Amino acid sequence: MGSYGIIGETSRPRRARRLGRAWKRRCSLWLFSLSLLSLVYLAFFGARLPFDSLHHGHVNGKFFANEVEKSKMRHANDYISEDIDTLLEGQGSHTSLGKEISVNKSKFQNLGFASDIKNNLSHARADSQLKGSKHSRAKSRKRHVPCEVGFAESVDNLVEPGNYLNFTKFSLEYITKEETSNKNVVIEPRFGGHQTLEQREKSFYARNQTIYCGFVQAPEGYRGTGFDLSEKDGEYMASCIVVVSSCIFGNSDFLRRPTSSKIGTYSKKNVCFMMFLDELTLKKLSSEGHVPDDMGNIGLWRIIVVKNLPYADMRKTGKVPKFLSHRLFPSARYSIWIDSKMRLHADPMLILEYFLWRTRSEYAISNHYDRHCVWEEVLQNKRLNKYNHTVIDEQFMFYQSDGLLKFNESEHSSVLPSFVPEGSFIVRAHTPMSNLFSCLWFNEVNRFTSRDQLSFAYTFLKLKRMNPGRPFYLNMFKDCERRAIGKLFHHKLVDHPSPVL
């Protein structure tokens, strides 16, 4: 019994040691399993650190670089996808080459970096909005979508309404050259001329007169004022009756071709599709494979090369084809302006019928998608540093002193549904009143800032106020209709700083 008791006592520590070793082995196995599962999870789903500063790339001050890189990849994604769509239109999805392009497009869309960039941007945007709600309680960002546009079914039966162009009648002439009687006075040649405040005030009257409207030539012995075109291009432009135009200056954007399948045979034969470029942009586009053919076309676009640009500010140079289509195309009856960030998705003749003929209007432009008051637009331009703040303030104070008021929907909606337009899409008939308004709006941009949203309402309201009984039929349509006629893209990331004056 004694010996049995001794053996039992010594066996207890041994069992404890065995249990300890077994527990260690089991713990090691569990830790190894958890580590393996973690590695598998990270390999398939990626690491998402919950720390706000790490998630947004603030470590080592790399936030700005990360965001710029994401933005560049997003632009590249849009650009490549757009080129693939254009190739599909040209080849047809039923051809062997078209099928190959379609397959490659699917592969491109399935690449991981495109979805990752989209997801990262979504998370960054969500977190940014969360931060803003904590401090300023800013309203959530609205989602803007196209709406249905009731175009006619076909262009075959379209007929311009009788007496459609029977609007306010008067004759406009344009100052083409400035002379000075004093040879000792040095005049700096300007494309927009040297309009005095007295001349500016008189130009708002809808009557027979000669006004400033760009293309002012310098006196003999001075350098040219710019926007020089070839004689061949000038002859072609003089033959256009209906025009769709756009521009890219300073390599500021990608070339976006109209969707060929949406443009009817009649429009392809009878409508002039004009793309204004400078030499720098044309060189860049050619290096990317967009080379004009023997007729000078890239797709439907007829390429017009502009030499000797009139302004150092590329945005202000872009206002020349945007506002002065009646000067560039002297025989045209209608013109459609589309910004380079848009890709036309509708037939031009259907656009004319819907926005002008059906509403008996001579000018059509959409309201802004978010802002309706010039006061808001001024603050937004300054907040985003769109232009020199001092120049914006000078322009804004000038307009207020001349009667510009804040937008009040209950008071002003019958005159204009918004005091701020979205000027990327304009449809107009080349009537005297439409031409006068375009000249006046251009003169404001020439005198002040290139931010044309700031001067739109002032110009329209002053023209209306100074011409009672002589109406200007302007159709300000909904922004969702603008989104329905074209695919919107982001502008290329090119910095064009506003001039410091």
Side-chain angles (χ1 to χ4, degrees):
M1 290 293 293
S3 62
Y4 179 79
I6 294 172
I7 294 173
E9 290 296 328
T10 57
S11 65
R12 290 177 184 174
R14 293 177 181 174
R15 285 198 300 269
R17 286 195 296 270
R18 285 197 299 269
L19 287 173
R21 286 193 295 269
W23 177 250
K24 289 181 179 179
R25 286 196 297 269
R26 289 177 182 176
C27 287
S28 300
L29 181 61
W30 278 106
L31 289 174
F32 176 77
S33 300
L34 288 174
S35 300
L36 182 62
L37 288 174
S38 299
L39 289 174
V40 171
Y41 177 84
L42 292 175
F44 280 93
F45 299 101
R48 290 195 181 277
L49 298 177
F51 304 105
D52 182 71
S53 61
L54 294 177
H55 179 71
H56 284 287
H58 283 287
V59 177
N60 297 329
K62 294 183 178 179
F63 172 75
F64 180 75
N66 289 346
E67 290 301 311
V68 170
E69 189 63 27
K70 291 173 186 175
S71 182
K72 288 181 178 179
M73 297 301 290
R74 181 185 64 204
H75 286 292
N77 195 343
D78 284 346
Y79 189 39
I80 298 171
S81 182
E82 177 193 355
D83 279 348
I84 293 174
D85 287 337
T86 303
L87 287 173
L88 280 172
E89 289 170 13
Q91 298 295 333
S93 59
H94 60 281
T95 64
S96 58
L97 180 56
K99 291 178 181 178
E100 183 178 351
I101 294 172
S102 181
V103 170
N104 289 334
K105 179 182 178 181
S106 298
K107 291 180 179 179
F108 167 77
Q109 292 174 336
N110 289 329
L111 286 177
F113 78 86
S115 60
D116 287 343
I117 291 172
K118 185 176 181 180
N119 291 335
N120 290 338
L121 288 174
S122 298
H123 284 282
R125 191 179 297 115
D127 289 347
S128 176
Q129 290 177 352
L130 181 60
K131 282 185 176 182
S133 63
K134 290 180 181 178
H135 299 287
S136 62
R137 300 294 180 185
K139 60 183 179 180
S140 59
R141 188 174 182 180
K142 297 179 182 178
R143 184 165 178 251
H144 306 285
V145 296
C147 56
E148 184 176 353
V149 176
F151 284 133
E153 295 183 359
S154 171
V155 301
D156 295 338
N157 299 319
L158 291 184
V159 178
E160 184 182 57
N163 298 324
Y164 166 73
L165 294 178
N166 189 23
F167 294 106
T168 303
K169 299 290 187 181
F170 55 93
S171 177
L172 281 180
E173 301 292 337
Y174 307 108
I175 295 174
T176 59
K177 195 171 185 178
E178 287 184 323
E179 297 287 354
T180 176
S181 57
N182 189 347
K183 295 183 178 180
N184 295 324
V185 176
V186 178
I187 296 180
E188 177 190 0
R190 294 180 183 174
F191 179 82
H194 297 77
Q195 184 189 49
T196 66
L197 288 177
E198 181 182 2
Q199 291 171 325
R200 174 185 178 276
E201 187 71 15
K202 291 180 178 179
S203 67
F204 276 84
Y205 288 104
R207 62 189 181 188
N208 298 341
Q209 61 173 324
T210 301
I211 63 173
Y212 282 92
C213 194
F215 299 97
V216 178
Q217 300 176 13
E220 293 184 7
Y222 290 83
R223 63 175 179 82
T225 56
F227 216 86
D228 300 335
L229 307 175
S230 71
E231 184 177 347
K232 180 181 178 181
D233 287 337
E235 292 175 355
Y236 179 82
M237 292 162 61
S239 67
C240 296
I241 305 300
V242 179
V243 180
V244 176
S245 63
S246 186
C247 74
I248 306 173
F249 294 125
N251 188 31
S252 58
D253 222 328
F254 301 112
L255 182 68
R256 315 194 195 283
R257 310 183 193 189
T259 306
S260 182
S261 60
K262 299 289 186 179
I263 313 298
T265 303
Y266 177 87
S267 293
K268 289 179 180 178
K269 291 182 178 179
N270 296 280
V271 175
C272 296
F273 294 85
M274 315 297 287
M275 174 61 72
F276 293 90
L277 308 173
D278 62 334
E279 293 176 294
L280 172 65
T281 304
L282 179 60
K283 182 178 180 180
K284 179 62 176 177
L285 291 176
S286 299
S287 69
E288 295 171 348
H290 298 286
V291 181
D293 59 21
D294 294 338
M295 299 295 294
N297 295 343
I298 300 178
L300 290 178
W301 288 124
R302 168 72 178 254
I303 303 302
I304 306 295
V305 179
V306 181
K307 298 182 179 180
N308 188 20
L309 300 183
Y311 302 100
D313 183 355
M314 294 296 104
R315 292 187 183 93
K316 188 168 285 192
T317 299
K319 308 307 176 185
V320 177
K322 179 175 182 176
F323 293 143
L324 305 184
S325 57
H326 60 290
R327 300 294 316 276
L328 290 166
F329 307 95
S331 301
R333 298 179 64 180
Y334 300 98
S335 64
I336 298 171
W337 165 261
I338 183 166
D339 193 88
S340 59
K341 69 180 179 184
M342 295 182 66
R343 186 183 187 193
L344 188 63
H345 264 339
D347 190 286
M349 299 307 298
L350 298 180
I351 290 174
L352 293 180
E353 190 278 330
Y354 181 80
F355 289 105
L356 295 184
W357 298 350
R358 197 180 299 184
T359 60
R360 306 291 296 186
S361 304
E362 50 190 320
Y363 199 102
I365 188 171
S366 77
N367 62 270
H368 197 273
Y369 54 85
D370 192 38
R371 295 179 293 280
H372 302 291
C373 182
V374 181
W375 269 250
E376 297 174 343
E377 186 65 24
V378 167
L379 292 176
Q380 183 73 352
N381 274 267
K382 294 171 72 173
R383 185 177 72 85
L384 299 178
N385 288 319
K386 293 290 188 178
Y387 210 86
N388 180 279
H389 292 196
T390 302
V391 182
I392 291 178
D393 289 338
E394 290 176 354
Q395 180 178 9
F396 190 40
M397 291 174 63
F398 187 96
Y399 289 168
Q400 290 181 76
S401 67
D402 199 21
L404 180 65
L405 302 174
K406 288 185 176 181
F407 177 76
N408 187 318
E409 188 172 358
S410 61
E411 296 179 7
H412 301 126
S413 59
S414 60
V415 180
L416 276 179
S418 172
F419 279 4
V420 182
E422 221 310 331
S424 59
F425 176 67
I426 300 174
V427 188
R428 50 174 297 213
H430 289 191
T431 63
M433 208 67 170
S434 172
N435 294 344
L436 176 59
F437 175 74
S438 297
C439 290
L440 296 175
W441 196 3
F442 173 80
N443 288 341
E444 294 305 297
V445 170
N446 178 70
R447 180 179 291 272
F448 294 110
T449 74
S450 60
R451 310 306 300 178
D452 51 45
Q453 292 98 331
L454 301 178
S455 50
F456 167 79
Y458 168 84
T459 305
F460 175 81
L461 295 172
K462 185 176 178 68
L463 177 64
K464 181 179 177 65
R465 184 176 73 245
M466 294 182 64
N467 296 280
R470 313 204 80 181
F472 174 39
Y473 296 95
L474 186 144
N475 170 25
M476 180 169 262
F477 53 90
K478 297 178 180 179
D479 174 69
C480 63
E481 294 177 300
R482 176 186 68 93
R483 295 174 182 271
I485 58 89
K487 184 175 181 181
L488 294 175
F489 295 87
H490 298 280
H491 281 302
K492 185 187 289 188
L493 287 176
V494 177
D495 185 26
H496 291 301
S498 61
V500 179
L501 302 176

